[in-house]
Amino acid sequence: MNDLSTLLNSRYDEIKELILRLYKDEEGAMGYAPTNPTLKATLFLLYYNLTESIVYSMFEMLFDEVAVNCSDFNQLDPQLQIQYKKYDNNGTMAENDLLKLDLSKYSGKITLFSGNIDARAIRALLKNWGFADNFHATGEAKLHDIRNFRNILAHGERAFKEVGKGYSLNDMEKYGEATYNYLLQLVGIVNSYFSDKKYLAANRI
């Protein structure tokens, strides 16, 4: 169950490489690099993408684990049964066939999240899907800021340069550290969930 940890570290290393490059650019320009405001704002998108990729991968793993390790729908944690049944709200599928769904097919019909991932949204997902009842982690407040700036930039409400000029590279680096530390704690509880096969009702006792 190291896939999430590997993904997190790999994606975060890519972002750190960009930040290091920006620091070098600023040093080379004697403290001022004209392109940096735009690139600094881009970091908000990268931090959001990192968060969303971890959450998406978490659910990919869940569907894969259930498909491999659960052969009878009644073996499934009741909380997960509720979520799986949403795919077939008309009751036309055999329950055991629901276990064969992968995330791509499920999310083609049921929206898990849509452009608004922050700590509150993740906490709700974890609770609704049986991962954790009330997950809180260090740095979670900054995820809300990142989500807001991501939406502002993605929808063209403000220019990248305008957003970026309000933050130093040190500020942006702290946003990245907060995101990484939050996701590190999230990955820890998710890995424990999979290691203990908590998606099975028998293991919820």
Side-chain angles (χ1 to χ4, degrees):
M1 284 302 140
N2 292 320
D3 289 351
L4 283 178
S5 299
T6 301
L7 175 64
L8 172 60
N9 289 323
S10 174
R11 293 284 181 89
Y12 187 55
D13 283 345
E14 292 175 3
I15 296 171
K16 286 193 296 182
E17 286 179 11
L18 175 58
I19 292 174
L20 180 61
R21 176 61 183 269
L22 293 177
Y23 272 121
K24 289 181 178 178
D25 286 348
E26 285 198 346
E27 290 171 5
M30 299 180 66
Y32 177 70
T35 58
N36 270 4
T38 296
L39 292 175
K40 282 186 291 187
T42 301
L43 288 168
F44 281 121
L45 301 185
L46 295 177
Y47 296 148
Y48 182 85
N49 178 265
L50 174 62
T51 302
E52 191 168 276
S53 70
I54 293 299
V55 174
Y56 186 87
S57 296
M58 176 180 85
F59 280 98
E60 266 190 330
M61 290 175 66
L62 174 62
F63 278 83
D64 290 347
E65 285 280 313
V66 167
V68 170
N69 296 311
C70 191
S71 58
D72 188 310
F73 195 76
N74 291 321
Q75 293 177 319
L76 202 61
D77 170 33
Q79 192 70 26
L80 285 182
Q81 291 184 27
I82 293 170
Q83 301 302 326
Y84 270 78
K85 285 180 177 179
K86 289 180 179 179
Y87 184 84
D88 181 40
N89 54 9
N90 294 323
T92 57
M93 290 179 65
E95 288 184 337
N96 285 349
D97 288 341
L98 293 173
L99 301 174
K100 302 172 186 176
L101 291 171
D102 59 21
L103 178 58
S104 178
K105 191 166 185 178
Y106 183 90
S107 60
K109 186 174 181 180
I110 306 297
T111 301
L112 285 175
F113 52 84
S114 179
N116 284 296
I117 285 292
D118 60 9
R120 175 183 283 187
I122 292 172
R123 188 159 47 249
L125 284 170
L126 292 176
K127 182 177 181 179
N128 292 339
W129 284 81
F131 284 98
D133 285 335
N134 192 27
F135 175 69
H136 288 275
T138 305
E140 63 180 40
K142 288 192 179 297
L143 267 68
H144 183 72
D145 295 337
I146 290 167
R147 185 207 71 175
N148 287 344
F149 276 120
R150 177 266 182 189
N151 288 341
I152 286 169
L153 292 167
H155 299 150
E157 295 174 26
R158 292 173 64 187
F160 278 71
K161 186 175 181 179
E162 180 188 354
V163 170
K165 70 182 181 181
Y167 296 90
S168 68
L169 267 179
N170 185 255
D171 293 332
M172 296 307 300
E173 191 171 21
K174 287 180 179 177
Y175 272 105
E177 290 169 354
T179 302
Y180 177 76
N181 289 331
Y182 173 89
L183 293 175
L184 200 60
Q185 294 169 81
L186 174 63
V187 166
I189 68 159
V190 170
N191 281 345
S192 294
Y193 173 91
F194 286 127
S195 294
D196 297 337
K197 296 185 178 180
K198 291 290 190 180
Y199 46 84
L200 299 176
N203 294 333
R204 302 296 294 192
I205 300 173

